[in-house]
Amino acid sequence: MARNSCQFTCHVVVILFLLVFGEVDGVTITVPNPTVSAEAGTDAVLMVSFTSGTNPYVSWELDLSIASWTINSDQPADIAQAYKGRLTINTKAPSLTLNKVTTADARDYKVTMRATGESSDEKFIKLNVYERITSVNVTVSPADPVEGKDVTMTCQITGTGTKYSWKVNETPVIVDSRHVASGNTLTIKSLVRTDKGQYSCTAENPINSLKNSVDLIVYYGPDDPVIKVDNANAGTQHNALVGSTVQLDCVSESLPVSYNWKYNSVSTAGGSKTLSNIQRNQEGDYICEVSNAKTTLTKSKTITIKVYDMIQGLSVSTIPVNPKEGDAQVEITYATDKGSGTAMWLKDGTALPNDPRYTVTANSLKINSPGRSDSGVYTCNLNNPFSTSTIQKTISIFYGPEKPQISATSVENPDPLKYVLVGTTVLLKCKAECDPPATYYWNVGNQDDPNVPEGATLNLTNIQANQAGSYTCIAVNDKINKRVRNVVPLNVYQKPVSAGPTCSMTPVNSDLQFRCSWLGGIPKVSLKFLGLSEVKEASETLDQTETAAKLPALNGKAITCVGTHPIAPNNCSITPRSPEGILPSHNATAQPSGKVSVTISCKGSSQPPATVTWSKAGQLLTSGGIYTISNDTTDLTITGFNISGGDLATYTCVSTNLLGSQKSSINLTGPAISKSSILVNPAHTVVTLTWETPRDSVVTGFNVQMTGPALQRSSTSRAATDWRTIQTKGPEARNTDISPLQPGEIYQFRVKPMVGQNEGPPSETYSLGQDPGLSAGAIAGIVIGSVFGFLLLLLLLILLILCCLRRKKQRKEPKYPVPKTKERVATGVSQPNILLTGGVTAARNGPSIGNGNRAYTPEPYTQYDKSSTLPSNVTPPAVRMATTV
């Protein structure tokens, strides 16, 4: 009821508000032209109109009121004293006319209108008064613009200008960083010569516009002058033949420009100069000067005129005539009958080497301290622009011999000067720089050889050890009676018998003897041990003994024997080490008769090899009876092993050498399975059993057993519930495949460990087959439970509807319909239930697999280990419970 009262009150307030405020009018002023432009001396009309329910009062104001009146009133307008005689007013309209306006009348005029019982309104009109533009004049500053400087053009007018625009050659000027327009000026920064042209300025206002122009001249230059010779561009030099005519012209870009030529301090005005019948005495530098009176700049360029005769009668002479190495200097000079030029010297057809001993003068080539490398053909090329002459001179310088260089080559030996092998061939070559060519003699390494070979080469075939020694080559220059010798050693080696030394160590009482052996070789191999208490050296065989007191420091230390031989040095190493890594292992075998033998191995690493002692339950064992100890003492074999006769016990081995000992034990136990699992293929035709045994368990084989239908159907098959052995595996087996299975049939599998004919406890039992399903009582319980559940759900729905209706009835002003609750219907998935004695198994794809009273079905190809839990990320599906009533 309270909510209905509030709503009624709101409606009443809204109706009253509309009645009071909804239909209210006022005076409205309309200005068709907020800005009025007028020429000075004419009348300006400030036009306005209005809408109103009655005749409003009109007031025009600047800073103060200038005129006011009432529309359609018989009373005249009230005009301010300053404006009497200057206004024209029609009291029947709100517009105002100013007569013969001046620029002082350019103001913002305010008009206000109001009427009794109505809201007032006001508007502004801007009056602009312009004087007519009667003249335009464009000035340039500075008067003589120069390239690179700034210039400003000013548009001076008579009248009132509001806008100025610029054009160059009737094209609008584009304002940018160089062309800056401001007010009535245009500034061009950093003038270039292409800025020249006719610039026009147009001055505008709302009354009229007027244009005038000016020609802008840009003074520039001079640019770098260009000199032309005979109307062709010339460089810095021009070559002329005696008696010819040379025409010189100088050209430069400049406004304005003035030319002047200078030669030997004599000036000649003008841009051209002619040299007729030129002679040698007229060669030199000719300078062209270019100046600009406006820019006050001057530039010049010089050209060198060279005057030549034709070359005639070139000759060359040499001092001394027959030079030799060690002379102070050889000089080659040239002379001509007429003409000159530039000499270019060549040696053996190429340019002279970059050698400070070579000095080129005006008419000669000097070679200081001449040597053998200076021998050759020297060419003098004398050139000028109009002729060429060439002459050659051959110089030979006697020298040598230098110290002979001996080289050795051998197919079998990669570096014969380092060593050669017995029975190979070596070729020695001797060479000495000498002119004329030297004569060679040899002294051989075998001093018993009476021969003195002659010639540059010495061939040594099937070389032997007695030919090792120093070989001397003597080079003789018969021209200057000079001889020089050089010596090289020749080493003849033989490889050792084996590729490297052999290291070993042998116990000697309580001491340890180290031996290193490497036989054969020329020279004999030098041996020494690194890492022992002292360093000793020997050839081919080295024995060194370390006493018992020093052995602890050598435990685990690598002892290296360094074998030194010039052909193939090599090393060997051996590490004394006390026994370590001893971990007993065992192996059991069974004979067809069932007799079992067990071999326990106690192996590890030790150097020198260790000796092993055996004990059983603390009692020392020796070979004899059922016990056999191997020759190296590392294996203990028990024959006729009896798992129930006391042979299952703790066996201990102690491994000992000179550097220490290590003890380890193994406790043999009966056959057992420590861990097992099963894997079924997607078709349910093959299962894979896997198993593990304890490390100490004695096993000679495994029996794989099953119950269920026979793998191969036969009339003689036993009952499906009987355990029967289907496979026999050896002691190393840890898995097996069983097939073919019949999908849908029920099977059980297990593995039994064996020792001979004795069985151990079987592994866990695995079941494979269909789920038994729900009993009739369970189904009845599910039906009854479903009925009661449906009735309970229906009752809750009815109560919910009643509550909603009651709540809706209590709400006095329901504004919006209450949304209905969406009903969610859970559709149950029909799936078989598995009721087992030990609990409930989640339904999965494929037949169930279980052990004992537990059953589960793995995903295809998923292996389940009976010693571990299922993966934590596998969420079992929902299980529906059934109650039997």
Side-chain angles (χ1 to χ4, degrees):
M1 182 64 69
R3 180 173 296 180
N4 287 337
S5 300
C6 180
Q7 185 177 17
F8 175 78
T9 303
C10 291
H11 284 300
V12 171
V13 171
V14 170
I15 293 171
L16 290 176
F17 181 86
L18 294 175
L19 291 174
V20 174
F21 301 100
E23 301 293 335
V24 179
D25 292 330
V27 179
T28 301
I29 301 174
T30 302
V31 179
N33 190 1
T35 301
V36 176
S37 298
E39 182 180 353
T42 64
D43 296 341
V45 179
L46 307 183
M47 181 68 70
V48 297
S49 61
F50 72 94
T51 58
S52 175
T54 182
N55 295 322
Y57 174 76
V58 181
S59 173
W60 286 89
E61 301 176 11
L62 287 173
D63 296 332
L64 298 174
S65 176
I66 60 174
S68 61
W69 67 92
T70 302
I71 300 297
N72 293 324
S73 173
D74 294 336
Q75 298 295 325
D78 184 10
I79 300 174
Q81 184 65 31
Y83 284 87
K84 288 184 177 181
R86 293 201 59 222
L87 302 179
T88 300
I89 298 174
N90 181 2
T91 59
K92 293 182 179 181
S95 299
L96 177 68
T97 301
L98 284 81
N99 302 323
K100 297 181 179 180
V101 294
T102 67
T103 55
D105 293 323
R107 303 280 296 278
D108 290 335
Y109 291 82
K110 176 183 175 183
V111 56
T112 303
M113 300 182 71
R114 57 181 175 270
T116 303
E118 297 181 1
S119 61
S120 62
D121 194 9
E122 64 181 31
K123 290 291 188 295
F124 288 87
I125 297 178
K126 182 176 184 63
L127 175 61
N128 296 320
V129 180
Y130 302 94
E131 293 181 354
R132 180 175 291 274
I133 301 172
T134 58
S135 67
V136 175
N137 183 39
V138 181
T139 61
V140 178
S141 178
D144 294 332
V146 175
E147 187 175 46
K149 304 292 185 180
D150 296 347
V151 65
T152 298
M153 288 172 280
T154 303
C155 192
Q156 299 175 339
I157 68 170
T158 301
T160 304
T162 59
K163 181 180 178 182
Y164 299 88
S165 59
W166 295 87
K167 291 185 178 181
V168 54
N169 299 326
E170 297 305 322
T171 300
V173 175
I174 298 176
V175 177
D176 54 22
S177 58
R178 287 187 58 241
H179 300 78
V180 180
S182 176
N184 65 333
T185 64
L186 173 65
T187 299
I188 303 177
K189 298 181 178 181
S190 300
L191 275 174
V192 295
R193 62 194 66 180
T194 56
D195 288 329
K196 69 179 181 178
Q198 186 183 67
Y199 286 78
S200 62
C201 171
T202 300
E204 302 177 55
N205 65 28
I207 304 303
N208 72 327
S209 65
L210 197 61
K211 181 177 76 171
N212 203 350
S213 61
V214 66
D215 289 329
L216 178 65
I217 299 174
V218 179
Y219 297 102
Y220 58 88
D223 291 348
D224 291 334
V226 176
I227 296 178
K228 296 184 177 182
V229 178
D230 299 334
N231 295 321
N233 289 343
T236 59
Q237 179 177 315
H238 177 73
N239 301 314
L241 186 62
V242 171
S244 63
T245 297
V246 178
Q247 177 67 42
L248 300 177
D249 292 298
C250 187
V251 180
S252 174
E253 290 290 334
S254 180
L255 180 68
V257 63
S258 175
Y259 295 99
N260 187 51
W261 283 95
K262 287 185 176 180
Y263 173 69
N264 290 340
S265 301
V266 177
S267 297
T268 303
S272 299
K273 187 176 182 64
T274 303
L275 304 174
S276 302
N277 191 23
I278 191 168
Q279 299 299 314
R280 294 286 307 276
N281 61 0
Q282 289 180 282
E283 68 179 10
D285 293 336
Y286 289 78
I287 302 172
C288 171
E289 290 184 347
V290 185
S291 59
N292 187 323
K294 293 292 186 179
T295 64
T296 69
L297 298 177
T298 299
K299 288 190 177 181
S300 64
K301 187 171 183 180
T302 301
I303 184 170
T304 301
I305 304 297
K306 300 289 289 184
V307 182
Y308 294 92
D309 282 310
M310 299 293 289
I311 299 174
Q312 299 176 8
L314 177 63
S315 62
V316 173
S317 60
T318 304
I319 302 175
V321 177
N322 296 312
K324 64 180 182 296
E325 195 170 55
D327 287 342
Q329 186 183 82
V330 175
E331 183 177 9
I332 308 172
T333 63
Y334 75 87
T336 63
D337 295 338
K338 188 178 183 181
S340 64
T342 302
M344 183 178 67
W345 294 91
L346 303 177
K347 179 179 180 293
D348 298 325
T350 60
L352 292 177
N354 185 17
D355 192 329
R357 297 184 303 109
Y358 289 77
T359 303
V360 178
T361 63
N363 63 342
S364 69
L365 168 64
K366 296 179 180 180
I367 306 174
N368 298 318
S369 302
R372 70 200 66 180
S373 61
D374 298 319
S375 296
V377 177
Y378 286 80
T379 302
C380 175
N381 290 326
L382 188 62
N383 301 283
N384 68 28
F386 304 98
S387 60
T388 298
S389 185
T390 301
I391 194 169
Q392 293 182 338
K393 182 67 175 179
T394 299
I395 297 178
S396 295
I397 299 177
F398 296 114
Y399 61 88
E402 292 292 339
K403 183 177 181 179
Q405 299 298 314
I406 302 175
S407 62
T409 57
S410 174
V411 175
E412 302 94 338
N413 304 288
D415 190 358
L417 290 180
K418 185 175 181 181
Y419 67 85
V420 296
L421 296 177
V422 170
T424 61
T425 298
V426 180
L427 183 65
L428 299 179
K429 291 185 179 181
C430 185
K431 182 179 180 181
E433 294 292 332
C434 185
D435 187 15
T439 302
Y440 300 95
Y441 302 93
W442 291 91
N443 285 338
V444 297
N446 185 2
Q447 299 300 317
D448 295 332
D449 189 348
N451 296 320
V452 180
E454 180 179 350
T457 61
L458 179 62
N459 192 15
L460 303 175
T461 60
N462 191 24
I463 195 168
Q464 298 301 311
N466 63 351
Q467 292 179 271
S470 297
Y471 284 72
T472 302
C473 171
I474 302 173
V476 179
N477 188 334
D478 296 325
K479 188 74 174 179
I480 59 176
N481 195 24
K482 181 180 178 181
R483 62 181 57 203
V484 182
R485 73 175 61 203
N486 194 8
V487 180
V488 293
L490 188 63
N491 299 311
V492 182
Y493 296 155
Q494 189 169 15
K495 292 182 179 179
V497 175
S498 60
T502 301
C503 289
S504 63
M505 55 184 170
T506 305
V508 179
N509 298 324
S510 60
D511 300 333
L512 189 59
Q513 184 186 65
F514 292 84
R515 166 166 285 192
C516 182
S517 177
W518 197 8
L519 304 178
I522 300 174
K524 292 183 179 181
V525 178
S526 175
L527 302 172
K528 66 178 177 180
F529 277 113
L530 299 180
L532 298 181
S533 58
E534 57 180 318
V535 178
K536 296 181 180 180
E537 293 191 28
S539 296
E540 296 191 332
T541 301
L542 172 62
D543 289 327
Q544 193 167 341
T545 301
E546 295 291 301
T547 61
K550 299 177 181 178
L551 294 182
L554 299 180
N555 189 17
K557 181 179 180 181
I559 307 302
T560 301
C561 174
V562 178
T564 304
H565 189 271
I567 296 180
N570 208 338
N571 301 334
C572 65
S573 295
I574 191 168
T575 303
R577 193 181 303 277
S578 62
E580 60 182 17
I582 305 299
L583 182 63
S585 61
H586 72 282
N587 179 43
T589 58
Q591 298 177 1
S593 62
K595 187 176 182 179
V596 177
S597 294
V598 176
T599 298
I600 305 173
S601 296
C602 188
K603 300 183 184 297
S605 61
S606 63
Q607 193 64 257
T611 300
V612 180
T613 58
W614 294 89
S615 61
K616 172 185 175 183
Q619 297 295 319
L620 185 66
L621 298 178
T622 59
S623 289
I626 65 172
Y627 301 109
T628 302
I629 299 176
S630 62
N631 292 333
D632 64 357
T633 70
T634 59
D635 292 330
L636 171 65
T637 300
I638 307 172
T639 306
F641 192 88
N642 189 347
I643 61 175
S644 59
D647 290 336
L648 294 178
T650 299
Y651 294 84
T652 302
C653 64
V654 180
S655 182
T656 305
N657 68 5
L658 291 176
L659 288 92
S661 63
Q662 187 178 26
K663 176 181 178 181
S664 188
S665 300
I666 184 170
N667 182 25
L668 297 184
T669 61
I673 301 294
S674 61
K675 188 177 181 181
S676 62
S677 62
I678 190 171
L679 175 71
V680 62
N681 73 331
H684 301 271
T685 59
V686 178
V687 296
T688 299
L689 288 175
T690 61
W691 62 88
E692 296 179 12
T693 63
R695 188 180 73 87
D696 298 341
S697 177
V698 179
V699 177
T700 61
F702 300 93
N703 288 341
V704 180
Q705 299 180 336
M706 65 169 281
T707 67
L711 299 180
Q712 302 293 334
R713 297 188 179 274
S714 173
S715 58
T716 60
S717 299
R718 290 184 292 175
T721 57
D722 293 341
W723 285 105
R724 58 190 181 276
T725 299
I726 59 174
Q727 293 179 8
T728 300
K729 296 292 182 179
E732 304 299 327
R734 291 297 181 269
N735 62 76
T736 186
D737 291 337
I738 304 174
S739 67
L741 304 179
Q742 302 176 29
E745 295 293 342
I746 299 176
Y747 297 90
Q748 289 184 311
F749 306 96
R750 70 184 184 184
V751 179
K752 272 193 173 184
M754 305 293 295
V755 176
Q757 297 178 352
N758 297 315
E759 296 182 339
S763 68
E764 295 183 82
T765 300
Y766 297 92
S767 298
L768 173 66
Q770 293 183 341
D771 300 327
L774 294 174
S775 65
I779 295 174
I782 292 173
V783 173
I784 295 174
S786 299
V787 171
F788 278 108
F790 175 76
L791 293 176
L792 179 60
L793 179 63
L794 181 62
L795 178 61
L796 291 175
L797 181 62
I798 293 173
L799 290 176
L800 179 63
I801 293 172
L802 291 176
C803 290
C804 292
L805 292 175
R806 182 178 181 87
R807 181 180 181 89
K808 182 176 182 181
K809 184 176 180 180
Q810 291 176 352
R811 294 172 61 184
K812 302 304 181 179
E813 294 178 330
K815 191 171 183 179
Y816 301 99
V818 178
K820 294 182 179 180
T821 303
K822 294 184 179 179
E823 297 180 358
R824 297 185 178 180
V825 180
T827 303
V829 179
S830 177
Q831 56 183 356
N833 289 272
I834 303 172
L835 298 178
L836 301 175
T837 305
V840 180
T841 301
R844 294 176 180 260
N845 296 329
S848 61
I849 299 176
N851 59 340
N853 293 328
R854 292 175 296 166
Y856 60 90
T857 302
E859 298 292 342
Y861 288 108
T862 302
Q863 185 172 0
Y864 292 85
D865 195 327
K866 292 302 172 181
S867 64
S868 61
T869 61
L870 290 171
S872 60
N873 60 348
V874 177
T875 304
V879 177
R880 188 169 56 198
M881 304 296 294
T883 305
T884 303
V885 295

